[in-house]
Amino acid sequence: MTETLDKLRNDIDQIDSQLTELFKKRMETSLEVAKYKKEHNMPVLSDRREKEILHKVSEQIGEPYDGYARLLFNTIFDASRSCQNNYLARRSDLAERIEQALADTPTLFPKKAVVACQGVAGSNSQAACEKLFEVPSIMFFNSFEGVFNAVEKGLCQYGILPIENSSYGSVGTVYDLMQNYNFHIAKSLRLRINHNLMAKPGTRLSDVREIFSHEQAIGQCGEFLKGLSDVKITVCENTALAAKMVADSERTDVAAISSMECLDLYGLELLKKHIQTSDNNYTRFICISKKLEIYPGSNKISLILSLPHSPRSLYHAIAKFAALGVNLTKLESRPIPGSDFEFMFYFDLEASVYSPELINLLSELENQPETFVFLGCYTETI
């Protein structure tokens, strides 16, 4: 039995050696094709040609291996396209902007800045801001759009925005607004969030008939809220604003889900501490700027892409990064306003702009006819 297995493994080793030589020869030939395409100004992707090869391979190999063969050849096509694209890459404006940002960005993230935050004093955005900046001058805005607008118009150098929560998912409103404003991500932060139920002094939990908070906080405290009976849940713009609304209200049967900072700030009393469903509850915040800034050590990249409304277009986009060994950490799709079932895609990558191959890929994406936005290269702190 052992001798038979050893022989089979030896056979596989010999076959792998042959495959390796054939793959190398195919890639070298693919590069010659790229040179021809460059001379004749031809595109890399030939969808018709690939379909013809897949059909021929499927017929040639037959069942039960035809499906595996198609998978193998699709992977080979991706590798060939990546090789050709790397050879044919035309430097885009983005490559020059990245080089300029690397040269102009200071070595240290600033300690002081004018920063836009959504909500009022005591908000989690303020807490994130104060963790990123030692001496921030904070301007509060009523909405997330107000933060984007303030940064784009130069009213504030930076803006702080929540983008996703570990237990309740993405902040959809922020992702939707990303399509409408010119900005870059300079840094990101993961902040541990604890939610607390608070009310006016003298109010008991049994007295509460209405609870105010932001929809994300409400979602993160879902299990606790399910245990309450005859209590109305009302969504408002911000957890700190919820605390302020309770403090300003003449009612004694209302409460807010908010942070501990708001307890003393608005003169409230604690009814229940740490009511979030998960104790491991983190919200990721991005720090945005109008100018592209890339600080030393930046190892995370965010992009926006629109893709052709055709089969395998998303697969081909992901394959480009996979061919370079780039780890894709997040993929978020959002509908494009005014379109029928067409989507914009948001990518987070573990990658650095110091890689020439990655710069070539980014240039390729920017030169394509579809929408491409480089949001930034940055570090994330905890």
Side-chain angles (χ1 to χ4, degrees):
M1 182 69 177
T2 304
E3 292 180 1
T4 302
L5 182 58
D6 289 341
K7 181 181 183 305
L8 291 172
R9 285 175 173 171
N10 184 61
D11 290 343
I12 286 178
D13 288 342
Q14 292 183 33
I15 294 168
D16 286 346
S17 180
Q18 295 173 40
L19 286 174
T20 301
E21 288 299 318
L22 288 172
F23 178 73
K24 180 182 178 182
K25 187 174 181 180
R26 192 188 197 284
M27 293 298 286
E28 290 172 345
T29 306
S30 178
L31 191 58
E32 292 300 316
V33 171
K35 294 176 182 177
Y36 181 89
K37 288 179 177 180
K38 185 176 183 178
E39 291 174 4
H40 295 80
N41 196 28
M42 296 170 63
V44 168
L45 177 61
S46 176
D47 195 50
R48 180 179 175 182
R49 166 73 173 158
E50 290 186 1
K51 287 179 180 177
E52 288 174 352
I53 294 174
L54 288 175
H55 180 72
K56 182 173 65 175
V57 166
S58 182
E59 283 195 338
Q60 184 177 349
I61 202 163
E63 294 184 357
Y65 304 120
D66 55 334
Y68 301 111
R70 293 173 71 89
L71 178 62
L72 171 63
F73 273 80
N74 269 313
T75 303
I76 292 174
F77 293 157
D78 291 331
S80 296
R81 279 196 301 271
S82 179
C83 179
Q84 290 186 8
N85 284 326
N86 192 49
Y87 173 79
L88 296 171
R90 291 185 294 111
R91 282 179 63 84
S92 65
D93 292 339
L94 174 60
E96 295 180 3
R97 286 189 284 119
I98 288 174
E99 285 184 359
Q100 193 65 48
L102 289 171
D104 294 346
T105 304
T107 55
L108 295 176
F109 194 73
K111 296 181 180 180
K112 300 179 181 181
V114 179
V115 186
C117 290
Q118 187 265 344
V120 295
S123 67
N124 288 317
S125 291
Q126 179 184 353
C129 178
E130 291 175 344
K131 196 166 183 180
L132 283 174
F133 299 93
E134 290 185 16
V135 191
S137 177
I138 299 176
M139 295 178 64
F140 288 105
F141 294 86
N142 292 332
S143 65
F144 295 138
E145 187 163 19
V147 174
F148 278 107
N149 198 38
V151 172
E152 186 175 68
K153 291 186 176 180
L155 297 175
C156 299
Q157 185 179 357
Y158 297 101
I160 302 293
L161 293 158
I163 195 167
E164 63 179 320
N165 177 264
S166 58
S167 58
Y168 198 63
S170 299
V171 184
T173 304
V174 173
Y175 274 102
D176 290 338
L177 288 168
M178 283 184 179
Q179 301 180 33
N180 304 327
Y181 290 90
N182 296 316
F183 70 97
H184 298 93
I185 302 174
K187 207 172 183 65
S188 68
L189 167 75
R190 279 190 284 169
L191 182 70
R192 186 167 186 169
I193 304 294
N194 290 313
H195 294 301
N196 311 278
L197 189 67
M198 53 193 69
K200 281 187 171 184
T203 302
R204 297 172 300 176
L205 181 57
S206 59
D207 298 329
V208 175
R209 290 295 172 264
E210 187 171 7
I211 295 175
F212 299 96
S213 198
H214 186 266
E215 61 179 346
Q216 277 275 333
I218 291 170
Q220 293 161 32
C221 301
E223 291 302 314
F224 171 79
L225 295 175
K226 285 179 184 178
L228 303 179
S229 58
D230 299 323
V231 176
K232 179 182 178 183
I233 308 299
T234 301
V235 174
C236 60
E237 291 86 351
N238 186 270
T239 56
L241 181 61
K244 188 176 185 301
M245 289 169 60
V246 170
D248 293 343
S249 174
E250 295 181 358
R251 295 169 56 186
T252 58
D253 62 347
V254 292
I257 298 174
S258 193
S259 64
M260 290 297 288
E261 287 77 9
C262 291
L263 203 63
D264 293 332
L265 188 60
Y266 295 109
L268 301 176
E269 284 187 353
L270 186 66
L271 296 182
K272 189 76 173 178
K273 190 177 183 180
H274 296 181
I275 62 172
Q276 67 275 2
T277 301
S278 172
D279 290 332
N280 192 32
N281 187 41
Y282 286 85
T283 294
R284 181 174 171 233
F285 291 84
I286 54 173
C287 176
I288 65 171
S289 64
K290 185 175 182 179
K291 182 181 178 182
L292 177 60
E293 300 176 0
I294 304 176
Y295 290 89
S298 295
N299 58 1
K300 194 178 185 75
I301 291 176
S302 292
L303 311 168
I304 296 178
L305 283 175
S306 68
L307 298 170
H309 193 51
S310 60
R312 303 195 306 276
S313 61
L314 179 58
Y315 166 79
H316 287 315
I318 294 174
K320 294 177 189 294
F321 298 109
L324 295 182
V326 173
N327 186 28
L328 180 64
T329 59
K330 183 176 177 65
L331 173 60
E332 180 86 12
S333 65
R334 302 296 298 177
I336 300 175
S339 65
D340 293 330
F341 300 104
E342 293 187 26
F343 296 86
M344 198 76 75
F345 295 91
Y346 299 82
F347 292 81
D348 282 349
L349 318 167
E350 287 182 349
S352 170
V353 291
Y354 292 97
S355 164
E357 292 81 11
L358 184 67
I359 291 295
N360 286 342
L361 175 54
L362 295 178
S363 294
E364 176 198 338
L365 293 172
E366 187 176 46
N367 288 328
Q368 69 183 10
E370 288 77 32
T371 299
F372 169 77
V373 181
F374 177 80
L375 294 178
C377 182
Y378 53 96
T379 57
E380 182 167 287
T381 60
I382 299 177

